[in-house]
Amino acid sequence: MVKRLKEVHKIIKCNFAGWFINYKIYLVLLLLLIFVLDNYTSLFEFAGQTGYRVSPYLFPFCFTHPFMRIVIFSSVIFLFSDAPFISDLQLLLLSRTGKGKWYLAQMLYLGICCFLFTAFLAVLPVLKNITMIAFVKDWGKVIETLADGHYDIIHPVSYDMVSRYSAWQVMGYTVCVSILLMLFLGMILYLCNIAFSNRSIGILISAAFVLLDWFVYLTGNNRLLWISPVSWIQMSNMAYAREWGIPSAVFSVVCLVVSDVVLLVSAYFVSKRKDVVEVMNG
């Protein structure tokens, strides 16, 4: 058992070592640095004018505007588009460890990437503006004031989230759904790339989910929220208290967990039966 874990750990380490020569990593980081930091510019300008510091619970507002959801989740699709990340070195490791452990390592690697991606988005604006951050337990005066809508700024602070939930509730939910949703998109790409040996199929399906969220926003058709998991990242889209007709926060988490488990299990069994050389050539 220990030997198997060491082999899986070695494969994951090799995947991370490949980041230094993977141009996708640098492009995604640059894209997110530009758009995510710009997303919070007006908020910190307002904080500077009022003389108040901002609480660190900024991550949920990263997804308030639908355009930012497109940017972030399109970046996820771009980053994971070549799953299960087959290279010459990985082929060598696969021949030594066997398909089961190799593909298991790729799935674990994908999950770790989702966690790191989420952590990066959550920490980035805080570190960039650390001198203007106040580590308090609630939303803080700046966010609560902007949520009331008395000041017109570009950054969309959600009134529903701030007024209905505590900062810890929204942060916990958003972090959880972010990881699960990124894993969901990543596993769709993983499974389609393995099953069909055609990267375009997985990209099209994943992109369809991202565009569906934009369509829900444009049409205002809340019934589509039931089949639009990307929209679930915004907690204000979820049913509050006894609201009905739209999915609840609990539904979104449970549905994503079940979907991820189904995709993980399906990808694992398909992977064990698929010829890796065929996947590379595809």
Side-chain angles (χ1 to χ4, degrees):
M1 182 64 179
V2 175
K3 182 180 179 181
R4 290 182 179 180
L5 291 176
K6 287 183 178 180
E7 289 175 338
V8 170
H9 180 252
K10 183 184 297 184
I11 296 170
I12 295 174
K13 282 179 62 178
C14 289
N15 273 330
F16 280 112
W19 280 22
F20 294 101
I21 56 173
N22 187 347
Y23 73 95
K24 289 185 176 183
I25 299 294
Y26 299 104
L27 285 177
V28 167
L29 288 178
L30 179 61
L31 182 71
L32 293 178
L33 279 170
I34 294 172
F35 282 97
V36 173
L37 293 180
D38 180 69
N39 185 55
Y40 295 100
T41 298
S42 56
L43 185 149
F44 283 101
E45 288 178 350
F46 174 79
Q49 294 171 2
T50 58
Y52 287 101
R53 293 188 178 186
V54 182
S55 64
Y57 313 113
L58 301 172
F59 181 54
F61 306 116
C62 197
F63 303 97
T64 303
H65 198 285
F67 174 75
M68 287 302 298
R69 297 198 289 272
I70 290 179
V71 170
I72 292 170
F73 291 112
S74 294
S75 299
V76 172
I77 294 172
F78 176 68
L79 193 62
F80 295 154
S81 61
D82 58 348
F85 317 108
I86 300 172
S87 64
D88 292 337
L89 176 59
Q90 291 296 329
L91 280 176
L92 177 62
L93 292 171
L94 184 148
S95 65
R96 292 182 176 180
T97 60
K99 279 188 177 181
K101 284 176 282 188
W102 189 83
Y103 281 108
L104 175 61
Q106 301 307 313
M107 293 177 193
L108 290 173
Y109 166 74
L110 197 62
I112 295 171
C113 286
C114 294
F115 172 81
L116 293 176
F117 201 102
T118 297
F120 175 76
L121 292 174
V123 171
L124 178 62
V126 176
L127 291 181
K128 169 64 171 58
N129 303 278
I130 191 66
T131 57
M132 299 186 66
I133 297 295
F135 292 92
V136 294
K137 295 181 180 180
D138 54 13
W139 287 113
K141 290 187 177 181
V142 173
I143 291 179
E144 289 177 348
T145 300
L146 293 176
D148 288 336
H150 297 310
Y151 296 87
D152 184 22
I153 66 168
I154 298 175
H155 187 280
V157 174
S158 172
Y159 170 78
D160 288 337
M161 284 198 300
V162 175
S163 62
R164 293 176 175 180
Y165 308 101
S166 69
W168 284 100
Q169 285 177 315
V170 180
M171 277 293 293
Y173 172 84
T174 308
V175 168
C176 180
V177 173
S178 174
I179 295 173
L180 292 172
L181 188 53
M182 290 177 187
L183 184 60
F184 173 75
L185 296 174
M187 287 310 305
I188 289 176
L189 293 163
Y190 187 113
L191 180 58
C192 290
N193 290 351
I194 290 292
F196 304 110
S197 301
N198 188 337
R199 294 181 182 180
S200 60
I201 296 176
I203 292 174
L204 287 174
I205 295 174
S206 300
F209 280 111
V210 176
L211 293 177
L212 177 59
D213 171 61
W214 180 260
F215 183 75
V216 172
Y217 169 75
L218 291 178
T219 62
N221 189 345
N222 289 333
R223 288 177 295 180
L224 292 176
L225 287 173
W226 292 98
I227 58 171
S228 179
V230 174
S231 304
W232 300 345
I233 190 70
Q234 182 70 4
M235 199 172 184
S236 59
N237 288 334
M238 301 291 96
Y240 176 69
R242 296 185 178 182
E243 285 182 344
W244 61 278
I246 57 175
S248 66
V250 174
F251 170 86
S252 66
V253 173
V254 172
C255 188
L256 283 172
V257 169
V258 172
S259 299
D260 287 348
V261 170
V262 170
L263 288 169
L264 284 165
V265 173
S266 300
Y268 179 74
F269 284 107
V270 171
S271 299
K272 293 190 70 173
R273 291 168 172 77
K274 196 73 173 180
D275 184 3
V276 70
V277 177
E278 181 183 346
V279 175
M280 282 194 69
N281 293 334

